[in-house]
Amino acid sequence: DPCRRCWEALFPSASGKPRRGEGRLQGCLGAENVPRAITEATQQYTKWSAEIPRAERLPEFLERAFQIASTPPYGPVHLGIPMDFLEEEIEFTPGPVTEYLHEALDPDAVERLAQILRTAASPVIVVGTEVARYGAIAALERLSDLVDASVLGEIKGADLAFPNTNPRYVGKLTASSPALEGADVVVLLGAELTEGLAMPLPDFGDSLVVQVT
């Protein structure tokens, strides 16, 4: 049961420092003595580790955590919850239940993507850790050569999903990656854009963006 697996894979914890310098929770539980970010200790062991920046974003982060945990390959996720959120109240209206189906790609969709890449003038592929986990690095190298694409690594990848010695590799994706400036097609191939929570999302401009997960 995917839902049961989600519950087993979600590990919440109190963040090392309160977000504000005021309130009853200031300095309690020795939180001020916890070094650096709470996610540093967990990111190497989890599929996704993040600290919730504001109390009103708690439902958003919980939904994202369950989605990531229930997407193959299944793995644990971690959420750092600042302690001063215990003093806050938020309004939240539950949305519809989302069911995630994990099936092979539709052949028609694959053919459509192939046609898009064949006709692209300056394609860019943003590669994520799923490519490495499914053993598709060599296939991606061949694809990038066939369509003459530049390749960017996702913002915070746990695995090296494309060789950085390959001349088509142009670095990590950032909010202003030069490779995106002239791109007419951007393919997000198993890439996770919410990993770099401290930076703004990339601006893809007028590029056609295709996401493959």
Side-chain angles (χ1 to χ4, degrees), residues 17 23 26 28 57 60 83 87 93 97 108 123 172 183 190 197-198:
K17 298 181 186 302
Q26 172 69 9
C28 74
R57 297 189 65 185
E60 169 195 342
M83 290 185 302
E87 295 184 308
T93 302
V97 176
D108 292 337
K172 289 281 189 179
L197 298 175

Side-chain angles (χ1 to χ4, degrees), residues 13 29 36-38 51 64 82 99 110 115 121 128 131 135-136 146 151 161-162 183 188 201 206 210 212:
S13 70
L29 302 178
R36 298 186 297 274
I38 191 68
E51 184 176 27
R64 185 61 178 160
E99 181 179 2
V110 174
Q115 179 63 25
V131 172
L146 284 172
V151 178
F162 195 84
L188 305 177
L201 290 176
D206 296 327
V210 180
V212 181

Side-chain angles (χ1 to χ4, degrees), residues 22-105:
E22 301 177 353
R24 295 189 304 275
L25 294 177
Q26 172 69 9
C28 74
L29 302 178
E32 69 279 7
N33 296 321
V34 178
R36 298 186 297 274
I38 191 68
T39 54
E40 284 190 32
T42 58
Q43 60 186 1
Q44 61 181 319
Y45 304 112
T46 57
K47 190 177 177 185
W48 185 54
S49 181
E51 184 176 27
I52 304 175
R54 297 189 304 276
E56 60 267 24
R57 297 189 65 185
L58 180 61
E60 169 195 342
F61 273 71
L62 283 171
E63 180 180 2
R64 185 61 178 160
F66 284 120
Q67 178 189 5
I68 293 174
S70 63
T71 302
Y74 302 110
V77 296
H78 166 256
L79 287 180
I81 304 175
M83 290 185 302
D84 59 347
F85 286 5
L86 301 177
E87 295 184 308
E88 298 191 33
E89 294 184 4
I90 63 171
E91 294 184 1
F92 170 57
T93 302
V97 176
T98 301
E99 181 179 2
Y100 298 99
L101 301 178
H102 312 300
E103 300 177 352
L105 289 175

Side-chain angles (χ1 to χ4, degrees), residues 6 22 27 36 58 97 127 138 143 163 169 180 186-187 190 196 206 209-210:
C6 281
E22 301 177 353
R36 298 186 297 274
L58 180 61
V97 176
V127 57
L143 175 63
Y169 182 75
L180 297 176
V186 177
V187 178
D206 296 327
V209 179
V210 180

Side-chain angles (χ1 to χ4, degrees), residues 176-187:
S176 57
S177 295
L180 297 176
E181 293 180 2
D184 57 342
V185 173
V186 177
V187 178

Side-chain angles (χ1 to χ4, degrees), residues 84-209:
D84 59 347
F85 286 5
L86 301 177
E87 295 184 308
E88 298 191 33
E89 294 184 4
I90 63 171
E91 294 184 1
F92 170 57
T93 302
V97 176
T98 301
E99 181 179 2
Y100 298 99
L101 301 178
H102 312 300
E103 300 177 352
L105 289 175
D106 179 9
D108 292 337
V110 174
E111 177 56 34
R112 173 61 178 149
L113 176 58
Q115 179 63 25
I116 290 173
L117 288 174
R118 282 195 295 264
T119 58
S122 183
V124 171
I125 299 174
V126 180
V127 57
T129 57
E130 297 299 310
V131 172
R133 289 172 181 155
Y134 285 108
I137 295 177
L140 178 57
E141 288 190 90
R142 294 193 297 271
L143 175 63
S144 64
D145 286 336
L146 284 172
V147 300
D148 193 21
S150 299
V151 178
L152 287 165
E154 72 176 344
I155 296 174
K156 283 178 60 180
D159 304 315
L160 183 60
F162 195 84
N164 56 12
T165 55
N166 189 306
R168 296 197 176 277
Y169 182 75
V170 292
K172 289 281 189 179
L173 177 67
T174 66
S176 57
S177 295
L180 297 176
E181 293 180 2
D184 57 342
V185 173
V186 177
V187 178
L188 305 177
L189 193 58
E192 172 58 66
L193 296 186
T194 61
E195 292 277 349
L197 298 175
M199 63 183 69
L201 290 176
D203 182 7
F204 296 116
D206 296 327
S207 302
L208 173 64
V209 179

